[in-house]
Amino acid sequence: MSGFMRGVKANVPLLPSVVAYAGVLGVLAAQKSISCADMMALNVFMFAGSAQFVLVDMWNAPLPVLEMVLAVIIVNLRYVLIGASLKDLFAGQGILRRLSLMHFVADENWAMTMVAARKGEGDVFHLLGGGLILVLFWSAGTMGGMYFGGMIPDPKLLALDFAFTAVFTALAVSLWQGKQDVLPWLVAISTSVLTEHFIPGKWYILVGGISGACCAAFMPAVEEGEDS
């Protein structure tokens, strides 16, 4: 339970931004006349903030189901990279437990668990504790946003749309390890920006993530070659 509680506590500072971000989604869902039951189902069975934003944005009658599915898959492809980064953490865990834990993985609790793992304090319970607290507050935020949605005609007027940017900026800073991150980060940023500019859709998320990861993976080999 100590790992579980560490995971909960590590994600507490992020909860206000998570609630604000979820509230924006709830407002948008209310404006699309999505029912509370449908939104709660998305929170429980999908639990993927970016993908839920894409889904709500595309929610128009008649529902473009195929396009929705493809868009969500593209946005969530980054979890392939996230899952790969959790390989050591999941060592010794059965496939069913791994799949169950991955359902509760969000960018926030993944980042906090990676930071804890570098200190020797990260484990699957840390990941699960953070995931569960995020699900609870994410759901509360979306429901609150739907309830008060009619009172906020434009979330941008209250800068609520900046919550997403603020959360991920904080996460990026917490994951910074020093000069060795400069090149992979620059590669990831530049390739994602170029992809977003030239290719429609959400492919820039996957392209940027894979490009940065490949750059980081090959850097040690390049440095060893230079030393020899």
Side-chain angles (χ1 to χ4, degrees):
M1 287 300 294
S2 60
F4 183 91
M5 292 308 301
R6 282 198 301 268
V8 171
K9 292 178 181 178
N11 286 272
V12 166
L14 301 174
L15 295 181
S17 293
V18 169
V19 171
Y21 179 38
V24 175
L25 177 61
V27 171
L28 297 177
Q31 293 175 346
K32 291 278 188 172
S33 299
I34 299 175
S35 69
C36 290
D38 287 336
M39 180 52 61
M40 184 56 71
L42 290 177
N43 292 337
V44 173
F45 296 109
M46 180 180 288
F47 183 47
S50 300
Q52 287 181 242
F53 265 93
V54 171
L55 202 64
V56 168
D57 184 62
M58 299 176 68
W59 197 290
N60 295 299
L63 292 180
V65 177
L66 180 59
E67 289 83 352
M68 283 179 163
V69 172
L70 291 175
V72 168
I73 289 175
I74 292 172
V75 172
N76 283 340
L77 279 175
R78 73 186 189 281
Y79 282 102
V80 175
L81 300 175
I82 290 176
S85 72
L86 294 170
K87 179 181 178 181
D88 293 337
L89 205 69
F90 284 167
Q93 305 293 328
I95 184 64
L96 291 179
R97 176 171 285 191
R98 294 187 186 194
L99 292 175
S100 299
L101 287 169
M102 279 302 299
H103 180 69
F104 293 101
V105 173
D107 299 277
E108 293 85 353
N109 66 318
W110 166 77
M112 293 298 99
T113 300
M114 290 295 97
V115 172
R118 292 172 186 165
K119 302 175 182 177
E121 300 177 352
D123 55 23
V124 292
F125 295 105
H126 190 288
L127 189 70
L128 179 61
L132 288 176
I133 195 70
L134 289 174
V135 169
L136 290 174
F137 277 79
W138 175 260
S139 299
T142 55
M143 293 299 102
M146 294 192 74
Y147 182 79
F148 294 106
M151 305 177 187
I152 308 176
D154 187 0
K156 293 182 179 180
L157 294 177
L158 299 177
L160 294 178
D161 58 318
F162 188 71
F164 177 83
T165 303
V167 168
F168 283 93
T169 300
L171 293 177
V173 171
S174 68
L175 291 172
W176 176 262
Q177 298 186 74
K179 292 188 294 184
Q180 68 269 29
D181 285 341
V182 173
L183 183 58
W185 283 34
L186 287 177
V187 169
I189 292 171
S190 59
T191 53
S192 61
V193 169
L194 288 173
T195 303
E196 193 275 337
H197 182 73
F198 291 106
I199 301 178
K202 304 297 180 179
W203 290 102
Y204 64 91
I205 299 174
L206 181 62
V207 173
I210 291 178
S211 299
C214 289
C215 178
F218 285 108
M219 277 180 61
V222 172
E223 292 173 358
E224 291 174 5
E226 291 176 349
D227 294 338
S228 61

